[in-house]
């Protein structure tokens, strides 16, 4: 009497592995398929542009009440600062930090990440694709809000109110620094989400790391100045200044500020790439 054995599925070991472009496409589909992401980006864009425009509107309304010296100072420096305000720089860091955290937490909290790793054994390549997509989306967001804010605010200030052009000293650097602040924040949020794996805790940690820690540090000592200058927000503020800093014992530099951007982004990427694949076995 013969015994029938069910046929087992075989795995074709010669089947080609997923290309990096395929991983990029998959990560892009996963990110944009989250219902909250399009609305989040729309609201974030309108908020940043509106807050910046309100700064320019307020300065324009108060311009006639200023002294001649204040008006001269505003024409030389103040109008540039109204192109992208300090509150908006803080908002960009927090909003893009939330975006980066959502990109990884949406898979970790639902268990989808394990399924994804089962389908794509090349874990670090998969995480690299996620990092690339998040960076691209955040950079596009940063370029959009920085460019629109600069154009709108300086158009409001044109003429007697002292609006500046993109060719004025420091204008292009401020525009680029404001745009690149977005991917830095997104990568930090992604790294924190990868490590903490809890949305609320990750958001609290993001706020504490970027904004609470600097409040307890003073830049009148060398160590305090190093910690202060190493913060992304302070690096952005330095890049927005025109000329040399005077009156500070340990001033920061333009090159150092750009290095802060690079170091934060690099450390965040490395943390995500080495934490998630080793933990989600």
């Amino acid at each position: 009497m013969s015994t029938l054995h069910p046929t087992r599925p075989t795995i074709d070991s010669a089947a080609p592995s997923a290309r990096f472009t395929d991983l990029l496409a998959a990560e892009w589909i996963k990110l944009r398929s989250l219902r909250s992401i399009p609305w989040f980006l729309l609201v974030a864009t309108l908020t940043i542009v509106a807050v910046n425009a309100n700064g320019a509107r307020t300065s324009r309304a108060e311009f006639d009440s200023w002294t001649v010296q204040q008006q001269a100072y505003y024409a030389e420096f103040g109008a540039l600062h109204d192109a992208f305000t300090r509150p908006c720089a803080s908002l960009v860091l927090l909003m893009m930090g939330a975006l980066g955290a959502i990109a990884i937490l949406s898979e970790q909290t639902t268990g989808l990440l394990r399924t994804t790793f089962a389908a794509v054994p090349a874990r670090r390549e998969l995480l690299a694709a996620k990092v690339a997509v998040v960076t691209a989306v955040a950079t596009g967001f940063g370029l959009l809000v920085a460019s629109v804010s600069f154009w709108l605010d300086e158009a409001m200030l044109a003429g007697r109110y002292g609006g500046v052009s993109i060719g004025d000293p420091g204008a292009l650097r401020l525009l680029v620094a404001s745009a690149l602040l977005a991917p830095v924040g997104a990568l930090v949020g992604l790294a924190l989400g990868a490590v903490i794996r809890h949305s609320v805790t990750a958001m609290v940690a993001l706020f504490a790391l970027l904004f609470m820690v600097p409040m307890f540090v003073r830049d009148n000592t060398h160590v305090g100045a190093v910690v202060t200058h190493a913060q992304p927000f302070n690096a952005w503020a330095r890049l927005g200044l025109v000329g040399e800093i005077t009156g500070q014992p340990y001033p920061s530099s333009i090159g150092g500020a750009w290095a802060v951007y690079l170091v934060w982004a690099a450390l965040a990427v490395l943390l995500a790439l080495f934490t998630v694949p080793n933990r989600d076995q």
Side-chain angles (χ1 to χ4, degrees), residues 3 37 65 76 89 100 190 194 246 256:
T3 303
I37 294 299
S65 65
E76 186 175 1
L190 189 148
T246 59

Side-chain angles (χ1 to χ4, degrees), residues 8 12 54 62 76 88 105 112 116 121 134 202 222 226 260 266:
R8 295 182 179 180
D12 185 5
N54 184 64
E62 297 175 351
E76 186 175 1
C88 284
L105 288 170
L112 180 61
T116 303
V134 169
H222 184 266
V226 170
V260 169

